[in-house]
């Protein structure tokens, strides 16, 4: 399986279990690795035969900016399902970063990574 990766997609969302997170929002960062077969697109040099990663990026940002959820696990699932709606996408790995999570000790990042497929 071939892979198309998008790293560091940034969007502001209002996800979290605490009122402050819902009210103020925060930046979320998303990394995607999309699994698909790119041979037909490469052979014909045809964008229509692969995934348009610009459109996927816009849809992922819209998902982050959309309806708030409590858990980044839920947000990751929403993003995965958005990606799998594209023809040809067989699998997707989604990593959601929450670098400003409300944790009381020093930390660099919090992430949730999931892998989903059509099968």
């Amino acid at each position: 399986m071939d892979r198309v990766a998008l790293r560091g997609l940034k969007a502001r969302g209002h996800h979290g279990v605490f009122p402050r997170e819902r009210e103020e929002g925060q930046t979320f960062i998303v990394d995607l690795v999309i699994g698909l077969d790119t041979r037909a697109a490469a052979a014909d040099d045809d964008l229509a035969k692969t995934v348009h990663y610009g459109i996927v990026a816009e849809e992922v940002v819209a998902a982050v900016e959309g309806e708030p959820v409590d858990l980044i696990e839920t947000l990751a699932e929403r993003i995965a399902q958005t990606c799998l709606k594209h023809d040809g996408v067989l699998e997707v790995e989604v990593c959601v970063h929450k670098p400003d999570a409300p944790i009381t000790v020093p930390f660099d990042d919090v992430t949730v990574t999931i892998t989903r497929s059509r099968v």
Side-chain angles (χ1 to χ4, degrees):
M1 192 172 315
D2 304 321
R3 305 271 181 224
V4 172
L6 289 94
R7 307 243 187 243
L9 296 170
K10 293 182 179 85
R12 189 156 187 86
H14 293 263
H15 312 290
V17 296
F18 297 112
R20 188 172 133 238
E21 293 179 290
R22 292 295 183 104
E23 293 165 11
E24 296 176 16
Q26 60 192 293
T27 298
F28 292 84
I29 301 166
V30 178
D31 300 325
L32 301 175
V33 180
I34 299 169
L36 69 163
D37 186 342
T38 64
R39 288 177 287 197
D44 295 339
D45 199 27
D46 186 352
L47 177 60
K49 295 182 179 179
T50 188
V51 66
H52 190 309
Y53 51 78
I55 291 173
V56 171
E58 291 170 358
E59 291 172 353
V60 168
V61 166
V64 174
E65 293 174 343
E67 185 68 28
V69 296
D70 288 344
L71 304 177
I72 58 175
E73 292 87 344
T74 307
L75 180 59
E77 185 68 35
R78 176 189 293 171
I79 292 167
Q81 295 309 315
T82 297
C83 294
L84 288 169
K85 289 180 184 176
H86 288 267
D87 290 337
V89 174
L90 303 174
E91 180 180 278
V92 64
E93 179 182 281
V94 177
C95 180
V96 176
H97 301 255
K98 189 175 179 180
D100 298 320
I103 296 175
T104 61
V105 298
F107 74 102
D108 288 330
D109 199 5
V110 172
T111 67
V112 169
T113 303
I114 65 170
T115 302
R116 298 293 182 264
S117 64
R118 288 185 182 273
V119 181

